[in-house]
Amino acid sequence: WLMHDMQNKGIPLETITYNAAISACEKWAQWRWALQLMQIMQETGVPATVITYNAAISACEKGCQWKRALQLLQDMQAK
């Protein structure tokens, strides 16, 4: 798995790293992976930014997951 390999190579798993991975998921409409990455961020204490949410929302939109996209928007607004 990409993030595990990056960590093993000494690449820090920070917000910007996750944002890049979630943006890649968005480009390929891999909404499940995008949401999984956001879950890992939350579990490991890596803060999500507007960029993170935007990429994940776009991934959900491209995957026709409107309810999930709206939930992410609500989550972002609540923070």
Side-chain angles (χ1 to χ4, degrees), residues 2 19 27 51 53 57 66 71 73:
L2 175 66
N19 286 352
K27 299 215 182 319
I51 295 168
Y53 278 99
I57 289 167
W66 293 103
Q71 182 61 53
L73 183 60

Side-chain angles (χ1 to χ4, degrees), residues 62-79:
K62 288 182 179 174
C64 297
Q65 298 297 313
W66 293 103
K67 287 183 182 180
R68 286 182 172 88
L70 290 173
Q71 182 61 53
L72 285 170
L73 183 60
Q74 290 174 350
D75 292 349
M76 181 178 64
Q77 291 173 334
K79 290 191 173 200

Side-chain angles (χ1 to χ4, degrees), residues 2-15:
L2 175 66
M3 302 308 274
H4 182 66
D5 289 344
M6 290 174 70
Q7 191 171 28
N8 285 341
K9 292 180 181 182
I11 299 170
L13 298 181
E14 301 169 333
T15 301

Side-chain angles (χ1 to χ4, degrees), residues 7-73:
Q7 191 171 28
N8 285 341
K9 292 180 181 182
I11 299 170
L13 298 181
E14 301 169 333
T15 301
I16 194 166
T17 313
Y18 279 98
N19 286 352
I22 293 170
S23 291
C25 293
E26 178 253 330
K27 299 215 182 319
W28 293 95
Q30 296 296 321
W31 61 273
R32 286 183 181 99
W33 289 1
L35 295 181
Q36 185 175 15
L37 287 168
M38 286 198 71
Q39 179 66 35
I40 293 168
M41 288 178 76
Q42 184 178 18
E43 290 171 359
T44 58
V46 178
T49 64
V50 172
I51 295 168
T52 312
Y53 278 99
N54 186 47
I57 289 167
S58 292
C60 290
E61 177 265 325
K62 288 182 179 174
C64 297
Q65 298 297 313
W66 293 103
K67 287 183 182 180
R68 286 182 172 88
L70 290 173
Q71 182 61 53
L72 285 170
L73 183 60

